[in-house]
Amino acid sequence: MSRWRLGMSWSRSLWMRLAALNNFVAVAVWTYVTVIDPGFAEAEQWRLGSQIQFMHGMAAFTCATFMNVGALSARHAPACFLGGSALLCSAMYAGAATTFSGRVAIEIIGGLVILVGWLVLAWSARTIDRTH
């Protein structure tokens, strides 16, 4: 059994499982506010959060494809996509459900982390033509 430790190298399999769970939550939230209770307070904010969350879960899956074609540094991007969207979207959900005052700061941090993920993915693509 593997132990969780600081600095461990996470496998593609783990990132893909986390991305799948992320997308499960995103679809569950979207389904609730769109189909089950469309009159839900702040439904549009919840819908937007779930769409952002889903999009970045799919981006985490994309990283596995980048790695398969030689862009090995893409392995760093899923942490940014999943971690950043967790920060951004959970702050959006909390802001829509409560009067959480720290929401904007957390949303900004989450958005910046996501942007770093996109830069990492773009940077990693530079090695694709050299290997394939």
Side-chain angles (χ1 to χ4, degrees):
M1 182 184 303
S2 67
R3 294 178 185 230
W4 295 92
R5 62 188 183 277
L6 189 61
M8 72 180 265
S9 176
W10 289 20
S11 68
R12 273 184 259 193
S13 172
L14 178 59
W15 283 127
M16 292 178 86
R17 288 191 312 254
L18 290 173
L21 291 172
N22 173 81
N23 286 5
F24 174 87
V25 171
V27 171
V29 169
W30 186 88
T31 300
Y32 182 79
V33 299
T34 302
V35 178
I36 297 172
D37 190 2
F40 188 64
E42 304 292 334
E44 201 52 44
Q45 183 78 4
W46 285 81
R47 262 191 228 89
L48 178 59
S50 67
Q51 290 167 350
I52 291 169
Q53 184 178 352
F54 186 84
M55 178 181 8
H56 290 93
M58 294 308 293
F61 281 120
T62 301
C63 295
T65 301
F66 269 60
M67 290 168 26
N68 284 341
V69 295
L72 297 180
S73 59
R75 71 184 179 278
H76 302 294
C80 296
F81 292 142
L82 297 176
S85 70
L87 287 171
L88 174 63
C89 298
S90 62
M92 290 176 75
Y93 299 150
T98 67
T99 57
F100 177 56
S101 62
R103 166 186 168 193
V104 174
I106 295 172
E107 287 175 349
I108 290 170
I109 292 167
L112 290 173
V113 171
I114 289 170
L115 289 172
V116 168
W118 285 111
L119 288 174
V120 167
L121 197 57
W123 179 255
S124 72
R126 79 192 188 291
T127 62
I128 293 173
D129 289 335
R130 291 184 217 157
T131 59
H132 283 80

Coordinates of all heavy atoms in Angstrom, one line a residue, residues 71 73 120-130:
A71 N 5.0 15.2 -24.1 CA 5.1 16.4 -23.4 C 5.0 16.0 -21.9 O 4.0 16.2 -21.2 CB 4.0 17.3 -23.7
S73 N 6.3 17.2 -19.2 CA 6.1 18.2 -18.2 C 4.7 18.6 -18.0 O 4.3 19.3 -17.0 CB 7.0 19.5 -18.5 OG 6.6 20.0 -19.7
V120 N 1.6 26.0 -18.0 CA 2.4 24.8 -17.9 C 2.1 23.9 -19.1 O 3.0 23.3 -19.7 CB 2.1 24.0 -16.6 CG1 2.7 22.6 -16.6 CG2 2.7 24.8 -15.4
L121 N 0.8 23.7 -19.4 CA 0.4 22.9 -20.5 C 0.9 23.5 -21.9 O 1.5 22.7 -22.7 CB -1.1 22.8 -20.6 CG -1.7 21.6 -21.4 CD1 -1.1 20.3 -21.0 CD2 -3.2 21.6 -21.4
A122 N 0.8 24.8 -22.0 CA 1.4 25.4 -23.2 C 2.9 25.2 -23.3 O 3.4 24.8 -24.4 CB 1.1 26.9 -23.3
W123 N 3.6 25.4 -22.2 CA 5.0 25.2 -22.2 C 5.4 23.7 -22.5 O 6.4 23.5 -23.2 CB 5.6 25.6 -20.8 CG 7.1 25.4 -20.7 CD1 7.7 24.4 -20.0 CD2 8.1 26.2 -21.3 NE1 9.1 24.6 -20.1 CE2 9.3 25.7 -20.9 CE3 8.1 27.3 -22.1 CZ2 10.5 26.2 -21.3 CZ3 9.3 27.9 -22.5 CH2 10.5 27.3 -22.1
S124 N 4.6 22.8 -22.0 CA 5.0 21.4 -22.2 C 4.8 21.0 -23.6 O 5.5 20.1 -24.1 CB 4.1 20.5 -21.3 OG 2.8 20.5 -21.8
A125 N 4.0 21.6 -24.4 CA 3.8 21.3 -25.8 C 5.0 21.5 -26.6 O 5.1 21.0 -27.7 CB 2.6 22.1 -26.3
R126 N 5.9 22.3 -26.2 CA 7.1 22.6 -27.0 C 7.9 21.3 -27.3 O 8.7 21.3 -28.3 CB 8.0 23.6 -26.2 CG 8.8 23.1 -25.1 CD 9.5 24.1 -24.2 NE 10.4 23.5 -23.3 CZ 10.1 22.7 -22.3 NH1 8.8 22.4 -22.1 NH2 11.0 22.2 -21.5
T127 N 7.8 20.3 -26.5 CA 8.6 19.1 -26.7 C 7.9 18.0 -27.6 O 8.5 17.0 -28.0 CB 8.9 18.4 -25.4 OG1 7.7 18.0 -24.7 CG2 9.8 19.4 -24.5
I128 N 6.6 18.3 -28.0 CA 5.9 17.3 -28.7 C 6.5 17.0 -30.1 O 6.7 15.8 -30.5 CB 4.4 17.6 -28.9 CG1 3.7 17.6 -27.5 CG2 3.7 16.7 -29.8 CD1 2.3 18.1 -27.4
D129 N 6.8 18.0 -30.9 CA 7.3 17.8 -32.2 C 8.7 17.1 -32.2 O 9.1 16.4 -33.2 CB 7.4 19.1 -33.0 CG 6.1 19.7 -33.3 OD1 5.1 18.8 -33.5 OD2 5.9 20.9 -33.5
R130 N 9.4 17.3 -31.2 CA 10.8 16.7 -31.1 C 10.7 15.2 -30.8 O 11.6 14.4 -31.2 CB 11.6 17.3 -30.0 CG 11.9 18.7 -30.3 CD 12.8 19.3 -29.2 NE 12.4 20.7 -29.0 CZ 12.6 21.4 -28.0 NH1 13.2 20.8 -26.9 NH2 12.2 22.6 -27.9

